[in-house]
Amino acid sequence: LKERELIEAITRLTGSDGAGVLRAIGDDCAVVEKSPGQVWLLTMDTLVESVHFDLRWHTPELLARKSVSVNVSDIAAMGGKPLFALLSLGLPSGFDPQWFERFSASLVQSCKAYGCLLIGGDTVRSPDRLLITITLVGQSEQDLVLYRSGARPGDTVWVSGPLGLAACGLELCRAGLHLRSDTHLQSLIDAHLDPQARTKLGRQLAASGLVHAMMDLSDGLATDLAHLCKESGVGAIIEADMLPKSSELTQGAALLGLDPLALMLSGGEDYELLFTSAPEYDAELLQLTNGAGHVIYPIGMIEEASGVKIRRREVGTASFCLEDISYQGYDHFA
Ligand SMILES: [Mg+2]
């Protein structure tokens, strides 16, 4: 069973009619009417020990921050503001109470830093692994919410930061290199251990009125852009030369013997924003975001034909090749 098939099966079970549901499953958040012109944004994410994190390199403080950030990122992806958080913890028996104290103090602080409040949750015994689930409730003006389904042929495709860093950082940790003090590797390790949700940029993009579709990058560009394209009934062509690659990624990938392009396309946990806008507003969008201290990168174009393709130079030649990369990112059930 592929993750996509599982989501499709759950989609058939969800209700979206009545009770003010504007969007059920299929986007970064569910969207529900709150009051005239205002909506609730609802999202939930689970982190599983040894799938999403490893206690050998995730301190309780960093793990709490990451649990909050990956959830807030889904609110940011709709252009919303996080308000309330609920925490569910599955703890193995004999779990260190000091770990819990450090984790919960950091969690409360991290919520506060994003402007939201922890208001409840649940704790259970887990057979052997630590499980962390956070439900986040956010809000937005109804007419500013950005969905995945709004991309149009001809749109410019943008990302809000360099890609593949977190995936490379994870591999560095797995190789035991997280203990080394090389500063050029630290930004990769930080990207994996301590991602930041792009709440301010998400709000700004929503308020600009220039963005057609948006989501956050959690499963890798190849998969996430395929989701956005499918929801919009379009396709996309990505230019390999335009993908924002950091020099740290080049160095980290070389050290690990990995292909930096594969990390940028298929590596998960970027938590950058992926969005599209009409090309005639490219300059305006750049000026607006740069003015607020955000760097955004155009990486390709939306087209009518379905599928996500990448255009890249063939090694040793002057010609370009086009390759379909739809859904080649992280799949939880592959
Ligand atoms: Mg998301």
Side-chain angles (χ1 to χ4, degrees):
L1 193 66
K2 288 208 167 80
E3 187 177 8
R4 248 185 315 149
E5 293 163 353
L6 193 63
I7 293 171
E8 278 163 20
I10 296 170
T11 304
R12 290 192 287 273
L13 303 174
T14 56
S16 58
D17 42 343
V21 179
L22 300 171
R23 186 73 164 109
I25 194 168
D27 221 300
D28 293 273
C29 295
V31 183
V32 178
E33 254 173 33
K34 180 184 176 223
S35 55
Q38 295 287 319
V39 295
W40 294 116
L41 302 169
L42 305 158
T43 183
M44 179 189 218
D45 251 302
T46 297
L47 279 77
V48 181
E49 183 182 351
S50 82
V51 175
H52 298 94
F53 62 89
D54 189 313
L55 296 174
R56 282 174 297 174
W57 47 78
H58 270 107
T59 65
E61 287 81 7
L62 287 174
L63 188 56
R65 285 159 63 123
K66 182 168 181 171
S67 310
V68 174
S69 293
V70 303
N71 275 281
V72 170
S73 182
D74 278 327
I75 303 277
M78 311 290 293
K81 214 171 78 175
L83 286 185
F84 305 115
L86 296 158
L87 166 71
S88 171
L89 266 184
L91 296 169
S93 60
F95 208 80
D96 179 7
Q98 272 194 347
W99 186 97
F100 175 74
E101 267 172 43
R102 290 170 59 188
F103 175 86
S104 48
S106 171
L107 191 101
V108 167
Q109 205 172 34
S110 177
C111 283
K112 212 168 150 188
Y114 282 116
C116 67
L117 202 61
L118 180 67
I119 56 165
D122 187 26
T123 49
V124 292
R125 169 71 49 84
S126 163
D128 59 350
R129 302 272 160 83
L130 178 61
L131 305 171
I132 305 163
T133 298
I134 290 184
T135 300
L136 253 227
V137 179
Q139 93 176 346
S140 173
E141 297 78 1
Q142 186 174 339
D143 57 355
L144 295 188
V145 176
L146 291 173
Y147 296 91
R148 296 177 177 185
S149 54
R152 302 169 203 172
D155 275 5
T156 302
V157 180
W158 303 84
V159 290
S160 63
L163 305 177
L165 274 60
C168 191
L170 170 62
E171 294 309 323
L172 288 169
C173 289
R174 283 181 173 156
L177 296 171
H178 59 291
L179 300 172
R180 285 191 9 183
S181 53
D182 313 42
T183 48
H184 69 279
L185 300 181
Q186 199 55 52
S187 65
L188 301 169
I189 292 163
D190 287 348
H192 168 60
L193 295 180
D194 194 16
Q196 304 294 310
R198 306 288 177 217
T199 38
K200 288 198 182 106
L201 178 61
R203 290 291 287 166
Q204 188 191 28
L205 292 172
S208 76
L210 298 174
V211 173
H212 291 161
M214 186 155 78
M215 69 182 297
D216 71 331
L217 287 166
S218 57
D219 294 342
L221 179 67
T223 286
D224 290 329
L225 184 52
H227 286 307
L228 185 143
C229 285
K230 185 169 179 272
E231 290 298 320
S232 299
V234 295
I237 294 187
I238 296 306
E239 305 291 339
D241 289 346
M242 290 172 76
L243 289 172
K245 182 163 81 172
S246 75
S247 59
E248 289 87 351
L249 179 70
T250 310
Q251 289 173 304
L255 186 68
L256 294 162
L258 296 173
D259 174 13
L261 183 63
L263 289 167
M264 286 193 288
L265 297 176
S266 304
E269 300 192 311
D270 287 312
Y271 298 110
E272 295 293 349
L273 296 172
L274 170 70
F275 53 100
T276 83
S277 64
E280 54 269 35
Y281 297 112
D282 282 359
E284 197 177 332
L285 204 53
L286 271 172
Q287 199 180 15
L288 195 75
T289 49
N290 290 355
H294 303 292
V295 185
I296 60 170
Y297 305 86
I299 59 166
M301 200 176 79
I302 296 293
E303 57 169 16
E304 264 172 55
S306 65
V308 175
K309 300 173 198 85
I310 187 158
R311 194 194 331 260
R312 60 171 154 171
R313 228 184 288 271
E314 294 204 69
V315 182
T317 71
S319 57
F320 285 85
C321 63
L322 210 55
E323 189 193 334
D324 195 299
I325 54 162
S326 309
Y327 299 108
Q328 284 181 18
Y330 185 75
D331 186 320
H332 292 269
F333 298 95

